[in-house]
Amino acid sequence: VGQLALYCAHPWLKAKDCSNPNWEDEVELNERPGYPLVTPKVEVVLHLLAEAFGNGRKVLLFAAFNHCGGLIKKAAEQLKLPKAYWHAINGSTPQEDRQPIVDEFSVYDGPAILVLNPKAAGAGLNITAATIVIHYTLNWNPALEMQASARAHRIGQKSPVTIYRLFYEDTVERVMMDRIAWKQDLAGRAVPISS
């Protein structure tokens, strides 16, 4: 299932060992002949980014696999998207460097994108400069995704925030979307009991 989710993110991604509990942190990038850089999902992201950058907006893009941001940036450069600030925060970003990256992103005068791994940047960061949130990969845990989206929905946010969740129909991603909806519904029905 993990390899299928990777393939949906981009066919150039491959897990070294899916049996490892931390396999998501050890994803390799293998450029494969016959598989293009610009997949349908990357094409949708590029369209969203072109519109956002053309309007001078700031974007948070959440991707569970660290290579996704680099692939999207490479595709954006090939298609000559408008110039924008690019940076990333993932598990390899030292804790003390994360807030300075957010501050730089926030004060940048013009369009910008910050590519975030939801596990590394899902909590503790307020990124209210962004008005567009893109979930490039899905997560089995809806609370993690909601927490990630909340980075832009914080005190100080004065603009509407648009959230996009990208997925392929008839794939493991559709199964993930259905499970996410089921978990959210279940959480809404649960009644806390205290003694």
Side-chain angles (χ1 to χ4, degrees), residues 42-180:
V42 171
E43 188 174 1
V44 170
V45 169
L46 295 176
H47 174 74
L48 293 171
L49 292 179
E51 185 177 331
F53 293 170
N55 292 320
R57 301 193 54 198
K58 290 186 166 72
V59 178
L60 301 181
L61 187 141
F62 288 97
F65 314 115
N66 295 341
H67 290 295
C68 292
L71 290 169
I72 293 166
K73 185 175 183 183
K74 183 176 180 180
E77 289 168 351
Q78 281 186 3
L79 293 178
K80 308 225 184 312
L81 255 60
K83 186 178 181 293
Y85 170 93
W86 285 75
H87 217 306
I89 296 176
N90 56 49
S92 65
T93 308
Q95 194 69 38
E96 64 272 9
D97 293 348
R98 295 177 187 187
Q99 190 59 51
I101 291 169
V102 170
D103 294 343
E104 192 175 285
F105 169 83
S106 298
V107 299
Y108 183 80
D109 186 22
I113 179 171
L114 194 53
V115 181
L116 305 160
N117 183 308
K119 288 182 183 175
L125 295 176
N126 295 334
I127 315 173
T128 56
T131 56
I132 297 172
V133 175
I134 301 171
H135 290 280
Y136 182 76
T137 58
L138 301 178
N139 193 290
W140 290 101
N141 181 352
L144 183 66
E145 188 175 289
M146 288 170 49
Q147 188 180 52
S149 293
R151 300 306 99 219
H153 282 290
R154 286 291 185 236
I155 295 171
Q157 178 58 271
K158 295 177 178 71
S159 304
V161 176
T162 305
I163 300 173
Y164 297 94
R165 296 164 82 197
L166 306 182
F167 67 96
Y168 287 112
E169 194 65 68
D170 299 323
T171 68
V172 69
E173 288 186 327
R174 167 41 84 184
V175 174
M176 292 174 83
M177 287 288 290
D178 292 343
R179 296 279 171 88
I180 289 167

